[in-house]
């Protein structure tokens, strides 16, 4: 852990109060800190408006409709802008169903295993994983059905481990950060295009569902201190 310099919000306060017009590095730093802090409450939960806001795609991907927040200093106050956004996510499920998407992104994708607990991050892929030589060949009596397909390389360079793809499950809540395949562009446009009235209705309904459905998360101090962000202005 590295100790950072204290953040001085006095310059930002001067901008808000109209006593200063120039945006100094101190002002920008203060705004950037707020941009990081404000979204932490919804980020600790899942910023998904509802299950109805999911559009499955082929290839192990799906579109999620959620919301994002940004900080906007104005005369006399700091406003929080809330709007609807769409993200491309990996669909939780068998690795085979999302293999092509994982091949395009690969780095940073995590999996769980069907034969033992734990979360693993993919390091690479190897061919013919079922024919790979293992120190421990016992997988609770499970027969490998597809030994000639790729395997998932996990672990560290010092302690490498290869797991057959059929034993792997794509972990939930993972964003696909590569460019959306062109065959899905029309789905993205249709799914994400909403008029202002519909966007406001989605945000209001999502906020109400978010607060009532995730009461378990409100015990976290960041969420508890930021619950005012979930209350729409009337």
């Amino acid at each position: 852990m590295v100790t950072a310099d204290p953040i001085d919000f006095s310059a930002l306060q001067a901008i808000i109060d109209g006593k200063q017009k120039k945006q100094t590095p101190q002002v920008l730093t203060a705004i950037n800190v707020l941009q990081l802090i404000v979204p932490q409450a919804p980020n600790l939960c899942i910023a998904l408006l509802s299950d109805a806001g999911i559009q499955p795609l082929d290839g192990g991907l799906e579109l999620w409709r959620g919301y994002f927040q940004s900080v906007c200093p104005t005369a006399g106050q700091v406003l929080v802008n809330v709007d609807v956004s769409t993200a491309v996510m990996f669909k939780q499920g068998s690795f085979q169903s999302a293999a092509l998407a994982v091949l395009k992104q690969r780095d940073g994708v995590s999996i769980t295993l069907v034969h033992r607990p734990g979360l693993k991050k993919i390091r690479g892929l190897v061919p013919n994983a079922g024919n790979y030589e293992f120190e421990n060949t016992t997988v609770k009596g499970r027969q490998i059905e597809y030994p000639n397909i790729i395997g998932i390389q996990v672990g560290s360079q010092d302690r490498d481990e290869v797991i057959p793809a059929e034993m792997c499950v794509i972990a939930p809540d993972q964003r696909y950060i590569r460019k959306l395949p062109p065959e899905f562009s029309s789905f993205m446009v249709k799914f994400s295009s909403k008029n202002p009235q519909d966007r406001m209705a989605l945000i209001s309904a999502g906020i109400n569902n978010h607060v009532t459905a995730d009461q378990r998360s409100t015990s976290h101090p960041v969420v508890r201190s930021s619950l005012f962000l979930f209350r729409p202005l009337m």
Side-chain angles (χ1 to χ4, degrees):
M1 183 178 294
V2 179
T3 302
D5 294 333
I7 306 300
D8 185 3
F9 286 89
S10 60
L12 176 59
Q13 186 66 55
I15 290 279
I16 295 171
D17 294 340
K19 299 177 181 178
Q20 178 179 324
K21 295 183 178 181
K22 184 178 180 180
Q23 282 200 354
T24 63
Q26 289 79 11
V27 172
L28 295 177
T29 298
I31 294 174
N32 288 336
V33 169
L34 291 177
Q35 300 282 24
L36 292 172
I37 293 175
V38 167
Q40 290 310 303
N43 284 350
L44 286 169
C45 312
I46 298 300
L48 178 67
L49 292 178
S50 71
D51 290 340
I54 297 178
Q55 172 66 54
L57 301 174
D58 292 332
L61 298 176
E62 53 191 12
L63 302 177
W64 283 23
R65 182 183 293 121
Y67 60 87
F68 74 91
Q69 298 174 332
S70 60
V71 174
C72 180
T74 63
Q77 59 186 335
V78 174
L79 299 180
V80 176
N81 174 52
V82 181
D83 202 356
V84 174
S85 180
T86 300
V88 184
M89 308 290 289
F90 284 101
K91 183 178 181 180
Q92 181 182 7
S94 68
F95 179 87
Q96 293 99 307
S97 65
L100 290 178
V102 175
L103 282 169
K104 291 180 179 179
Q105 177 166 320
R106 189 176 305 185
D107 295 339
V109 181
S110 295
I111 57 171
T112 58
L113 309 178
V114 299
H115 60 291
R116 69 172 190 261
L119 186 69
K120 304 286 186 178
K121 185 166 290 188
I122 297 175
R123 287 187 52 241
L125 304 174
V126 298
N128 303 324
N131 298 324
Y132 203 87
E133 293 185 4
F134 298 96
E135 291 183 3
N136 181 2
T137 58
T138 302
V139 189
K140 294 186 177 180
R142 186 183 180 97
Q143 180 68 34
I144 303 299
E145 298 182 16
Y146 308 103
N148 295 321
I149 65 174
I150 58 175
I152 315 304
Q153 189 176 26
V154 298
S156 62
Q157 293 182 350
D158 296 333
R159 189 176 180 181
D160 202 12
E161 184 176 6
V162 175
I163 303 169
E166 64 188 274
M167 310 294 290
C168 302
V169 176
I170 300 295
D173 308 331
Q174 296 188 87
R175 189 170 183 177
Y176 179 74
I177 60 175
R178 294 289 187 253
K179 184 178 180 180
L180 184 67
E183 61 268 26
F184 299 140
S185 298
S186 60
F187 290 97
M188 170 67 90
V189 172
K190 183 177 180 180
F191 184 74
S192 58
S193 297
K194 297 291 180 182
N195 62 46
Q197 293 78 12
D198 290 340
R199 296 170 83 89
M200 186 63 200
L202 285 168
I203 292 170
S204 299
I207 288 170
N208 292 333
N209 292 336
H210 188 87
V211 173
T212 57
D214 285 300
Q215 295 297 330
R216 66 186 182 278
S217 301
T218 60
S219 60
H220 194 285
V222 176
V223 179
R224 193 167 56 244
S225 63
S226 304
L227 279 178
F228 74 93
L229 299 175
F230 298 145
R231 302 191 185 110
L233 295 175
M234 302 301 293

